[in-house]
Amino acid sequence: MNFSGIIIGLATFLIIGLFHPIVIKAEYHFGKKCWWAFALAGIAFGALSLIIDNITLASIAGVTAFSSFWSIHELFQQEKRVQKGWFPKNPKRK
């Protein structure tokens, strides 16, 4: 049996689930100015996916790369959600 598809699917589910609270916490503490950290992570994981020989691990690195890139968009959307009052605003940050 080949479990690669199930492993990649589970890893994708977990990675997306992990990035959701990371985006919320990043926006709360740093605002949208931390978008570059997600961009660098995306580039790093994208490069890593190109050099890994194992197709399962390369796929997981690719999913992580594009989840990082998507998080940039979500970071800007999270700022709008905070402005609407859907999420708390950090009182220590201006």
Side-chain angles (χ1 to χ4, degrees), residues 8 11-13 15-16 19 49 58-68:
I8 293 167
T12 301
F13 178 76
I15 290 165
I16 292 170
F19 270 88
S49 74
S59 298
I60 292 170
V63 166
T64 306
F66 281 90
S67 293
S68 296

Side-chain angles (χ1 to χ4, degrees), residues 41-64:
I43 292 168
F45 277 103
L48 191 62
S49 74
L50 294 173
I51 60 174
I52 294 176
D53 287 333
N54 183 304
I55 192 70
T56 303
L57 295 178
S59 298
I60 292 170
V63 166
T64 306

Side-chain angles (χ1 to χ4, degrees), residues 17-48:
L18 179 66
F19 270 88
H20 180 70
I22 290 173
V23 167
I24 293 170
K25 294 291 184 184
E27 194 285 327
Y28 183 82
H29 291 290
F30 306 110
K32 65 183 177 185
K33 65 183 177 186
C34 69
W35 68 268
W36 58 269
F38 289 103
L40 288 177
I43 292 168
F45 277 103
L48 191 62

